[in-house]
Amino acid sequence: MPDRPGSGERALLLHIGLKRSCDEDEIQEFKALAASAGAEVVDEIEARRNRPTPKLFIGSGKAEELRERVEASCAELVLVNQPLSPSQERNLENLLKTRVLDRNGLILDIFAQRASTGDGKLQVELAQLRYRMPRLAQRADLSLSRLAGGIGGRGPGETKLESDRRRVRERITRLERDLSRLAKQRAGRRRKRERREVPVLSIVGYTNAGKSTLLRALTHSDVFIEDKMFATLDPVSRRLRFPREREVIITDTVGFIRDLPADLVAAFHATLEELSDASLLVHVVDASAEDVDRKVATVRRVLDELELGSKKELLVFNQIDRLPEATHIELEQRYDCVAISALRGD
């Protein structure tokens, strides 16, 4: 598994734009991810590449600048906003003499911190092992290449590396089997709900849009809320009783984000499959965000990938308390949405 950034760990952020400069929204989002992981940002560098270089992703000049900035800032960790190949990550670590973690590894780390149920922990561990497996293979290949072909190339070294990889493969197989069993149990619970004809409303949206705050306001429950990305990882369900004995189940789900790592989507497919039984998707949007349209499009793209794009959707613009008075009227007309402040109860 990737090493976890600790609380207050000194991190340098490397923002790389491909074929263009990084926009401010992307930079701020990556900084928010770093903060959510518990990192203390001590420096930031921006770079631009038409395409990644095979060895370091960035060019040699920028890599040397990065090395100097790491030394000057005493950074313990370099966080890169692009996905790195195992060899690029290893080469950067060798050059910088410090740990390097790409965006996918950072998101996985946040998920590992947030998972609280047994089901969620299994899914995070599976995603981490799938992420880590090729990196373990890369380290093994590097070690073996230094030893191969003569004295010192024999003995327990290769056996130890191969046994590590075998244990990881065995653990992945065991996790997949356990998650399959849990998926069957969830399917059984969903069938019981269907027999009772209890409608299910699933709250979806970009991370940190206020989904848990809305669930808490609607159900007057003690759902955990925090102003951090991916504060909710494990699905949370609460009952809501309407007048005339009408009852529904409201489910809060993990927040979406642009370019969500494929391993995470695969690992959490079992959790997100709960959305397939929803009678209605309540799509919560942070009305105060600068890039509202992009975030709405990102969520809908993920829903399409999960084959849920045809589900009925209620668009809810939250956090209007952060906007000028009467702005919500314009939002409702423009987006055909409901504008609310879940925090204030408006």
Side-chain angles (χ1 to χ4, degrees):
M1 296 182 187
D3 297 322
R4 173 176 297 184
S7 179
E9 191 168 3
R10 297 172 63 85
L12 184 151
L13 306 189
L14 175 58
H15 307 283
I16 308 173
L18 289 177
K19 297 183 179 180
R20 61 177 178 80
S21 299
C22 293
D23 62 43
E24 188 60 28
D25 292 328
E26 292 172 328
I27 291 173
Q28 291 304 317
E29 181 175 280
F30 194 55
K31 290 173 69 173
L33 284 170
S36 295
E40 176 193 351
V41 178
V42 294
D43 200 358
E44 299 176 64
I45 296 181
E46 293 185 41
R48 180 177 173 179
R49 297 290 307 175
N50 287 328
R51 57 181 177 272
T53 62
K55 185 176 181 180
L56 299 170
F57 198 103
I58 54 178
S60 56
K62 184 60 69 172
E64 180 59 25
E65 178 189 349
L66 180 60
R67 187 188 64 78
E68 293 173 356
R69 297 275 285 271
V70 167
E71 289 183 0
S73 63
C74 298
E76 304 165 273
L77 173 69
V78 173
L79 298 174
V80 185
N81 74 327
Q82 297 285 352
L84 300 174
S85 70
S87 62
Q88 288 168 338
E89 182 180 291
R90 175 54 48 196
N91 291 335
L92 281 170
E93 287 184 340
N94 289 337
L95 173 69
L96 304 174
K97 302 297 188 290
T98 191
R99 291 169 48 236
V100 174
L101 196 61
D102 66 6
R103 182 177 182 271
N104 291 356
L106 179 61
I107 293 175
L108 281 167
D109 177 84
I110 297 169
F111 272 53
Q113 294 183 52
R114 298 288 188 264
S116 58
T117 66
D119 199 351
K121 289 176 180 178
L122 287 177
Q123 292 177 103
V124 170
E125 184 181 356
L126 177 60
Q128 284 187 313
L129 288 174
R130 285 174 172 165
Y131 171 85
R132 199 62 189 158
M133 188 65 179
R135 283 158 172 78
L136 181 62
Q138 172 71 17
R139 294 186 183 196
D141 292 342
L142 284 172
S143 300
L144 291 175
S145 67
R146 296 190 186 105
L147 297 172
I151 296 172
R154 298 176 288 270
E158 183 172 358
T159 304
K160 175 67 167 61
L161 291 167
E162 287 302 318
S163 67
D164 286 346
R165 295 163 70 180
R166 186 178 66 254
R167 282 198 297 271
V168 170
R169 285 192 291 267
E170 290 172 351
R171 181 62 177 163
I172 288 175
T173 300
R174 194 177 308 120
L175 288 170
E176 289 173 338
R177 185 170 60 245
D178 290 345
L179 287 170
S180 177
R181 174 177 51 81
L182 290 169
K184 291 178 182 177
Q185 293 176 1
R186 282 195 300 271
R189 291 195 294 269
R190 290 199 301 271
R191 284 193 294 270
K192 288 182 181 178
R193 287 203 301 258
E194 289 172 2
R195 286 197 294 269
R196 294 173 56 195
E197 297 183 345
V198 179
V200 177
L201 310 182
S202 287
I203 303 176
V204 300
Y206 210 81
T207 180
N208 208 27
K211 300 183 297 300
S212 298
T213 306
L214 177 58
L215 177 62
R216 192 173 191 173
L218 288 172
T219 61
H220 304 289
S221 58
D222 57 351
V223 175
F224 175 76
I225 57 174
E226 188 177 10
D227 188 18
K228 285 187 176 181
M229 304 184 85
F230 302 114
T232 299
L233 179 59
D234 301 295
V236 179
S237 296
R238 294 290 185 270
R239 291 182 179 272
L240 176 61
R241 185 176 293 274
F242 290 105
R244 300 182 184 178
E245 300 302 312
R246 182 63 167 169
E247 191 177 62
V248 299
I249 291 176
I250 304 181
T251 302
D252 188 13
T253 57
V254 62
F256 298 155
I257 193 171
R258 66 180 182 86
D259 302 325
L260 192 65
D263 281 344
L264 271 181
V265 175
F268 279 83
H269 196 278
T271 299
L272 294 172
E273 71 187 9
E274 297 279 345
L275 299 175
S276 64
D277 295 309
S279 309
L280 176 70
L281 299 181
V282 181
H283 181 172
V284 180
V285 183
D286 178 1
S288 65
E290 295 289 337
D291 52 344
V292 166
D293 292 329
R294 180 181 67 80
K295 290 181 175 178
V296 170
T298 295
V299 172
R300 287 175 172 166
R301 185 162 56 249
V302 175
L303 291 172
D304 285 339
E305 291 171 1
L306 295 169
E307 299 181 353
L308 298 170
S310 60
K311 282 280 180 182
K312 291 182 180 178
E313 176 193 79
L314 174 64
L315 199 58
V316 177
F317 273 58
N318 187 28
Q319 305 187 46
I320 59 169
D321 51 288
R322 297 184 177 183
L323 298 176
E325 197 71 26
T327 306
H328 65 282
I329 298 174
E330 179 186 341
L331 287 173
E332 289 178 334
Q333 292 174 344
R334 179 180 175 185
Y335 290 96
D336 190 24
C337 67
V338 178
I340 67 164
S341 169
L343 185 64
R344 293 193 317 203
D346 295 342

